[in-house]
Amino acid sequence: MKTFFTTKRLCRAGVIAALYTAITYVFAPFAYGPFQLRPAEALCILPLFFSEAVPALYIGCMLSNLASPYFFYDVFVGSLATLIAAFISYMVGRYIKKEPFRFLLGGFFPVLFNAIFIPMIIVFLCGGAEGYQSATVAYFAFMGSIALTETVWVYGLGAPLYYSLKRLDGKFDNFTNRE
């Protein structure tokens, strides 16, 4: 019987969670809000290769959001968006093998879920709509800016990471632990 929690997977999950948290904290003054400078989001393509990246990204996001000005909501709701997106990206990686659709579709879900949930936290849960005609206008404005910044990180920085891992996956046996 194979066990899911191998030493290799636990270590890799720990490294992913730590990297996500550390990178986000480096950019902390600009990593939260309607326009996010969060290069750690490039790691959201990792579930396409590693199942352990799903809980690792969730934990890394939770730890990162402890520094968020939207603390309570961002820690739980924002991290939940990352968990859902990571799980769906993992499923894409498991069932879609055709390139470049695998990468494009796998990166789409982090962009989509963050663009939907993060503005909801800022505008509706934390009342961050000041300066806008209405909360709805603020929500869609923030949705656009989050989608833009998330796209830059997931696809812009995620592409070199994805294709580097893709190359490594072909060179080493059992690199991704896919059954």
Side-chain angles (χ1 to χ4, degrees):
M1 182 170 129
K2 282 188 166 183
T3 179
F4 179 79
F5 295 106
T6 64
T7 303
K8 181 178 179 179
R9 285 183 174 183
L10 285 173
C11 289
R12 189 170 11 219
V15 168
I16 292 168
L19 272 173
Y20 188 98
T21 304
I23 294 168
T24 301
Y25 280 162
V26 165
F27 292 91
F30 312 104
Y32 309 99
F35 191 81
Q36 297 186 351
L37 185 60
R38 200 183 270 218
E41 289 295 310
L43 299 176
C44 288
I45 61 98
L46 293 178
L48 294 170
F49 295 96
F50 311 111
S51 56
E52 60 271 21
V54 174
L57 289 170
Y58 176 64
I59 291 167
C61 189
M62 284 185 91
L63 293 172
S64 297
N65 288 342
L66 291 173
S68 172
Y70 313 107
F71 176 74
F72 179 78
Y73 299 111
D74 216 4
V75 167
F76 297 104
V77 179
S79 300
L80 182 63
T82 297
L83 178 64
I84 295 167
F87 178 73
I88 295 172
S89 292
Y90 166 73
M91 297 307 287
V92 166
R94 188 163 176 100
Y95 295 108
I96 296 180
K97 303 300 179 195
K98 188 157 177 70
E99 298 293 340
F101 301 111
R102 181 176 188 246
F103 170 66
L104 293 173
L105 191 57
F108 173 73
F109 294 103
V111 173
L112 176 68
F113 283 97
N114 280 303
I116 291 170
F117 283 96
I118 303 308
M120 198 181 316
I121 293 168
I122 297 169
V123 174
F124 299 117
L125 298 176
C126 296
E130 54 276 337
Y132 288 89
Q133 295 174 356
S134 69
T136 304
V137 171
Y139 175 79
F140 285 108
F142 293 171
M143 182 186 238
S145 69
I146 294 289
L148 175 67
T149 58
E150 190 75 11
T151 299
V152 167
W153 302 122
V154 170
Y155 290 113
L157 280 180
L161 178 60
Y162 176 84
Y163 288 105
S164 296
L165 289 172
K166 188 78 176 146
R167 200 167 331 133
L168 287 173
D169 193 21
K171 290 184 179 182
F172 297 102
D173 291 337
N174 204 20
F175 177 71
T176 59
N177 288 335
R178 294 264 185 224
E179 284 84 40

